[in-house]
């Protein structure tokens, strides 16, 4: 028995030593600017701190914050350049730091790798073959999800979850989501209905996206190109603005209700927050993802390959993507 254990241990060590190279391919930028500043380079594989794991990246996803950060909009609080962008990752644990207790080599995991999205986000993020992630930000990948599907979730689903937790969304309440077709909106619709038990979910979207929004469980879609939602008579307990129109959104909340916004100027009672990544919060959603009640939604164009990251950013930055823009396989 002892010999077997020893062989297993030696085997495991051998695998990780063989599989983790010293350098890897990563998308990096050394100056702020448009997607063209991104270059695919061979750089050292990141070291792993005591509270971190090294993940072999299988898929990553893009978020608007990646683009805003690359444009230098958060340069006062950014981590130093050069940067490897990317918050969302799904992959396999290759190495664990000495304080790590919840994950082991071989685990399939996913995460938003930056605890604070704007304040010193991870310098070497997920658009790379390997990335180091703090244990507290990781969750086990739901087995029902592919790596691409899992990578599409963390930042956006944690944002929707945090928004609804902050306004204390309760069973039976009505919710208005401005911008239902985006990365955050498509998940917010599903969370409102399936996780928080909202009785009515209404959203805005353009005509071509109505069927998709209804398939996510929305009760009514307002075509924002034809109708002004703030001029309609309906009012809601909770209003979630993912577009940056808080001044209009405050007009559709019931008296005493809450308006939570992600971007743009806010006015009372609206407030804005910045998402905090947290592996335990991600893990709370596992039952809903495993049962299929909440689904990952990758843009109908399909995933972009690792060599198409610049094109993927150009597409995301049109503001017209549906669901999530995913990079897979990596
Ligand atoms: P996406 O790029 O995924 O959103 C694109 C979607 O928005 C498209 O499907 C588009 O649909 C829809 N859309 C665009 N304009 C409008 C409009 N006027 N009315 C209704 N829908 C519209 O973005 P995300 O969902 O990932 O993020 C949304 C915003 O929230 C971004 O500004 C992002 O930076 C921010 N954010 C902030 C966070 C925070 O912590 N504060 C966290 C996450 C995101 P169509 O083609 O029909 O117009």
């Amino acid at each position: 028995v002892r010999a077997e254990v020893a062989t297993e241990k030696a085997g495991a060590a051998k695998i990780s030593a063989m599989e983790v190279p010293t350098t890897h391919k990563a998308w990096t930028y050394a100056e702020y600017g448009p997607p063209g500043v991104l270059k695919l380079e061979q750089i050292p594989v990141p070291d792993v701190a005591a509270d971190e794991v090294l993940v072999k990246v299988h898929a990553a996803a893009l978020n608007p914050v990646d683009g805003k950060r690359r444009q230098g909009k958060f340069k006062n609080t950014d981590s130093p350049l050069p940067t490897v962008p990317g918050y969302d990752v799904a992959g396999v644990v290759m190495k664990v730091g000495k304080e790590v207790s919840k994950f082991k080599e071989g685990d399939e995991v996913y995460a938003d790798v930056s605890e604070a999205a704007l304040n010193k986000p991870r310098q070497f993020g997920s658009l790379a073959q390997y990335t180091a992630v703090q244990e507290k930000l990781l969750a086990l990948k739901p087995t029902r999800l592919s790596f691409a599907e899992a990578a599409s979730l963390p930042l956006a689903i944690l944002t929707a979850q945090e928004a609804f937790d902050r306004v204390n969304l309760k069973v039976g309440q009505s919710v208005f989501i401005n911008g239902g077709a985006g990365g955050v909106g498509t998940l917010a619709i599903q969370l409102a209905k399936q996780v928080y038990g909202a009785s009515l979910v209404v959203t805005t979207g353009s005509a071509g996206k109505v069927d998709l929004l209804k398939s996510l469980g929305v009760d009514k879609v307002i075509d924002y190109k034809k109708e002004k939602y703030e001029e309609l008579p309906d009012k809601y307990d909770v209003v979630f603005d993912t577009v940056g129109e808080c001044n209009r959104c405050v007009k559709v909340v019931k008296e005493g209700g809450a308006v939570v916004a992600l971007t743009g100027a806010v006015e009372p009672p609206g407030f804005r927050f910045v998402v905090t990544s947290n592996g335990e919060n991600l893990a709370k959603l596992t039952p809903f993802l495993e049962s299929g009640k909440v689904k990952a939604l990758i843009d109908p164009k399909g995933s972009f390959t690792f060599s198409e990251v610049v094109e993927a950013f150009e597409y995301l930055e049109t503001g017209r993507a549906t669901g999530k823009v995913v990079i897979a396989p990596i």
Side-chain angles (χ1 to χ4, degrees), residues 67-323:
K68 295 177 189 181
R69 187 178 163 206
R70 195 202 58 241
Q71 288 156 12
K73 291 192 174 160
F74 309 121
K75 61 172 93 160
N76 294 338
T77 58
D78 203 354
S79 46
L81 298 173
T83 294
V84 173
Y87 290 74
D88 287 326
V89 69
V92 175
V93 174
M94 301 299 290
K95 233 195 233 183
V96 299
K98 55 179 185 297
E99 288 167 12
V100 169
S101 61
K102 293 190 192 139
F103 300 94
K104 59 182 189 315
E105 286 175 23
D107 283 348
E108 297 185 348
V109 293
Y110 72 140
D112 164 1
V113 303
S114 286
E115 184 172 23
L118 307 183
N119 189 15
K120 298 276 174 273
R122 192 100 209 171
Q123 184 180 6
F124 300 105
S126 62
L127 287 168
Q129 292 177 308
Y130 293 86
T131 196
V133 189
Q134 285 175 288
E135 175 181 35
K136 65 181 177 181
L137 307 185
L138 281 171
L140 288 172
K141 178 180 81 63
T143 52
R144 186 188 178 111
L145 302 185
S146 66
F147 284 110
E149 288 171 328
S152 77
L153 294 170
L155 186 143
I157 208 165
L158 287 167
T159 300
Q161 181 191 48
E162 186 170 343
F164 293 144
D165 285 346
R166 281 175 179 262
V167 298
N168 192 18
L169 175 59
K170 292 194 205 61
V171 173
Q173 288 191 313
S174 58
V175 181
F176 175 76
I177 297 167
N178 191 27
V184 178
T186 48
L187 291 163
I189 290 166
Q190 300 182 74
L191 258 54
K193 275 259 155 153
Q194 304 294 343
V195 179
Y196 292 83
S199 57
L200 179 79
V201 178
V202 174
T203 191
T204 55
S206 54
K209 298 187 177 177
V210 172
D211 288 347
L212 176 116
L213 291 166
K214 291 219 162 133
S215 77
L216 298 175
V218 150
D219 296 288
K220 181 181 167 193
V221 182
I222 300 169
D223 179 349
Y224 71 91
K225 294 186 175 163
K226 294 207 185 102
E227 281 188 292
K228 290 198 168 145
Y229 55 84
E230 71 275 28
E231 290 174 359
L232 301 175
D234 310 311
K235 308 283 176 230
Y236 308 89
D237 296 307
V238 164
V239 176
F240 183 21
D241 178 27
T242 76
V243 173
E245 297 177 336
C246 190
N247 58 330
R248 296 172 61 193
C249 280
V250 293
K251 295 182 181 151
V252 300
V253 70
K254 280 183 189 170
E255 210 174 313
V259 181
V260 55
L262 295 182
T263 184
V266 289
E267 61 179 70
F271 72 95
R272 202 169 79 182
F273 74 98
V274 177
V275 62
T276 300
S277 175
N278 179 307
E280 282 176 18
N281 287 345
L282 199 53
K284 282 184 200 161
L285 298 168
T286 300
F288 300 94
L289 294 162
E290 290 289 17
S291 68
K293 283 189 171 176
V294 175
K295 294 188 178 68
L297 186 76
I298 297 174
D299 183 275
K301 268 176 176 281
S303 299
F304 288 77
T305 65
F306 191 47
S307 60
E308 295 170 333
V309 163
V310 173
E311 291 85 343
F313 270 117
E314 284 167 349
Y315 176 56
L316 177 71
E317 290 170 33
T318 63
R320 299 276 86 83
T322 302

Side-chain angles (χ1 to χ4, degrees), residues 7-23 45-46 48 53-56 92-97 104-107 130:
T7 321
E8 262 176 32
K9 280 191 180 158
K14 206 168 146 199
I15 288 166
S16 50
M18 267 169 39
E19 287 187 358
V20 181
T22 53
T23 65
V45 168
V48 177
V53 313
L54 184 70
V55 173
K56 166 81 190 77
V92 175
V93 174
M94 301 299 290
K95 233 195 233 183
V96 299
K104 59 182 189 315
E105 286 175 23
D107 283 348
Y130 293 86

